[in-house]
Amino acid sequence: MRENVLLIGGGGREHAIARALADSEADLYACAGNRNPGIARIATEFETLETTNPKAVVEYAEDVDATIAVIGPEAPLEAGVADELEAAGIYPFGPKEEDARIETDKAFQRRFMAEHDIPGCPDFETFDDMEAACDFVDDYDGDLAIKPAGLTGGKGVKVIGDQVTPEEGKEYIRASEYDRIVLEERLIGEEITIQALVANGSFETAPAVQDHKRAYEGDEGPNTGGMGSYSDATNELPFMTEADYEEAVSIIEATVDALEDYRGILYGQFMLTAEGPKVIEFNARFGDPEAMNTLPVLETDFLDVLTAARDGEAPPELEFADQATVCKYAVPEGYPTDPEAGAKVQVDEESAGNALLYYASVDERDDGIYTTTSRSFAVVGLADSITEAEEIAEDALAVAGDEGLHMRHDIGKPDLVQQRIDHMNELRGE
């Protein structure tokens, strides 16, 4: 039986999901607030609508006789779209609003971890009184990460001792106008992401990925939604051991056990420290860009994952190609603080060569595709090694040019990867 799958969301992550379903026994329909030309070319139909409006999503799902819905971004999860789809008899691969709080409410996330004795939780305190938070900064013996409790698109965190001084941190707290914040110990190490596909109390994990949040090369500048990422041809990254990966997976397992009815993606972002992995945060969906590293090497039919979840079964054992991946985003000049829209995108699926091209936030006009003020497109190289994959991605960026665009060319390059290895060796005293 063919499935009618509704994809909710219009970014690079969702383009990767669409590609993963393109050759499946499914008719793909999509809806998003922005029209993604890459998804539109794959989907049977693409509807522009507000995806945080559960009623609008459900109405469209019913119009296309959707049997399964895949929810890409976090905002529709927070809005309860999964709850309303399920109430309408349409299976949503994505957590309900309450379970999505593992991402959408960082104060809840930390309290949940503490209550259920989930390992890897750093020291933390939550605040709704900003002056009390500033007093905590003064009294705390060490550096702190300042995190808004709600969603900020990956751009709200400030780290004392890295991005800001204690005084600047307090100024940020006072000026931020957040209702609630979380203050937690600064973790020192290397960041890794492991994404789990969860259904019916079971889960399967994907290879580890390292994202690069900082806007500029050398990990400088403000945080972004993610400038690019890489994975290796094994489950581990070059600076990890098998034991590191398994320990992080055990933290995911404890979290899945505590989230009894969770289904969808559970994305664990960890800091690999000298003492092992610690949880930076959990997300309730595929990462963007990490989905673009993971899904191109997934050899198991993603539709089989969806139908198993819908039919009350455990996810099938996942098979991944033994290939490394390097993903690099092109963003509008000035992103993220003062982005300038309107540059013409000069690369397409054919001219990208051996790289995969994923559109994110772009404006398709009669005479071509143009940038908006958000991340524009990503290119992904796949090869036997990170170095070879990086070269493929760079070749595609060369076609795109740099007029009106900004990229981090250092992601995946040998010297940057070696810095990660050296850093972990230093932390471990090796």
Side-chain angles (χ1 to χ4, degrees):
M1 154 183 167
R2 287 187 71 84
E3 302 283 348
N4 283 1
V5 178
L6 174 61
L7 173 60
I8 299 164
R13 162 185 48 220
E14 290 75 38
H15 192 179
I17 294 170
R19 276 242 181 95
L21 292 167
D23 296 324
S24 301
E25 289 295 313
D27 292 320
L28 182 66
Y29 297 83
C31 63
N34 62 297
R35 182 176 176 82
N36 183 310
I39 298 174
R41 288 166 194 163
I42 296 170
T44 301
E45 185 175 291
F46 192 112
E47 183 75 8
T48 303
L49 56 81
E50 182 50 65
T51 57
T52 54
N53 181 339
K55 181 180 178 182
V57 174
V58 169
E59 285 180 355
Y60 182 62
E62 291 176 334
D63 285 346
V64 300
D65 295 322
T67 55
I68 298 173
V70 182
I71 304 169
E74 59 272 27
L77 296 172
E78 183 179 41
V81 167
D83 306 65
E84 295 301 318
L85 284 165
E86 186 169 86
I90 299 161
Y91 181 81
F93 190 69
K96 293 183 179 180
E97 180 182 358
E98 179 64 24
D99 286 337
R101 290 181 70 198
I102 198 72
E103 171 176 7
T104 62
D105 186 339
K106 290 182 177 61
F108 167 83
Q109 177 189 113
R110 289 310 191 200
R111 291 194 298 267
F112 182 88
M113 291 186 69
E115 178 184 343
H116 292 276
D117 295 321
I118 294 171
C121 187
D123 293 337
F124 73 95
E125 292 289 344
T126 63
F127 297 89
D128 55 18
D129 180 334
M130 298 305 115
E131 285 305 317
C134 290
D135 291 340
F136 187 85
V137 171
D138 287 333
D139 296 339
Y140 189 77
D141 184 18
D143 291 332
L144 292 161
I146 304 166
K147 295 185 175 183
L151 297 175
T152 59
K155 305 183 188 79
V157 177
K158 300 291 184 184
V159 181
I160 295 173
D162 178 18
Q163 297 165 292
V164 294
T165 65
E167 288 303 315
E168 289 169 337
K170 289 188 292 183
E171 289 174 12
Y172 174 67
I173 291 169
R174 291 185 175 114
S176 64
E177 300 182 354
Y178 295 126
D179 294 330
R180 295 173 301 131
I181 64 167
V182 180
L183 297 180
E184 57 191 46
E185 65 171 306
R186 178 191 176 191
L187 300 172
I188 304 295
E190 287 295 329
E191 293 188 26
I192 59 172
T193 296
I194 297 176
Q195 298 165 107
L197 286 73
V198 185
N200 306 308
S202 298
F203 69 97
E204 293 285 329
T205 55
V209 182
Q210 185 171 63
D211 184 18
H212 297 67
K213 289 286 189 188
R214 295 295 194 92
Y216 310 132
E217 297 192 2
D219 296 318
E220 299 291 336
N223 277 349
T224 70
M227 291 296 296
S229 45
Y230 67 91
S231 64
D232 210 343
T234 61
N235 280 338
E236 302 81 33
L237 291 161
F239 53 82
M240 296 174 64
T241 65
E242 289 185 23
D244 294 331
Y245 182 87
E246 292 303 324
E247 187 175 350
V249 170
S250 72
I251 295 172
I252 292 173
E253 182 177 19
T255 308
V256 171
D257 288 345
L259 289 165
E260 295 179 3
D261 298 321
Y262 194 93
R263 48 30 188 346
I265 306 300
L266 184 65
Y267 160 130
Q269 186 180 17
F270 301 94
M271 185 71 79
L272 182 57
T273 71
E275 294 77 38
K278 306 288 186 182
V279 176
I280 298 173
E281 65 178 1
F282 286 111
N283 290 330
R285 36 70 189 180
F286 275 122
D288 187 342
E290 293 95 334
M292 291 176 276
N293 301 94
T294 301
L295 289 170
V297 294
L298 176 63
E299 295 184 330
T300 306
D301 191 338
F302 187 53
L303 181 64
D304 290 346
V305 176
L306 302 179
T307 55
R310 191 264 317 275
D311 296 341
E313 302 169 3
E317 184 176 351
L318 301 182
E319 297 289 338
F320 293 92
D322 296 330
Q323 287 189 299
T325 70
V326 173
C327 173
K328 301 193 184 193
Y329 250 116
V331 302
E333 196 67 52
Y335 174 87
T337 54
D338 191 22
E340 300 176 10
K344 190 171 184 178
V345 175
Q346 302 291 347
V347 64
D348 57 26
E349 285 92 335
E350 292 184 6
S351 61
N354 292 326
L356 300 174
L357 173 68
Y358 295 101
Y359 291 110
S361 181
V362 292
D363 177 19
E364 186 172 27
R365 307 176 190 171
D366 291 341
D367 64 337
I369 293 174
Y370 292 80
T371 61
T372 67
T373 55
S374 295
R375 291 179 296 174
S376 306
F377 63 89
V379 294
V380 178
L382 281 70
D384 292 337
S385 69
I386 294 170
T387 298
E388 293 171 296
E390 189 276 333
E391 291 170 352
I392 293 170
E394 274 297 303
D395 287 345
L397 289 183
V399 175
D402 58 6
E403 185 174 349
L405 295 171
H406 166 65
M407 307 94 161
R408 275 193 60 174
H409 294 284
D410 60 344
I411 295 170
K413 286 193 180 296
D415 56 346
L416 192 63
V417 175
Q418 187 62 48
Q419 286 175 25
R420 305 312 203 228
I421 296 169
D422 294 343
H423 186 211
M424 283 311 305
N425 287 342
E426 179 184 354
L427 290 175
R428 287 170 163 148
E430 297 176 359

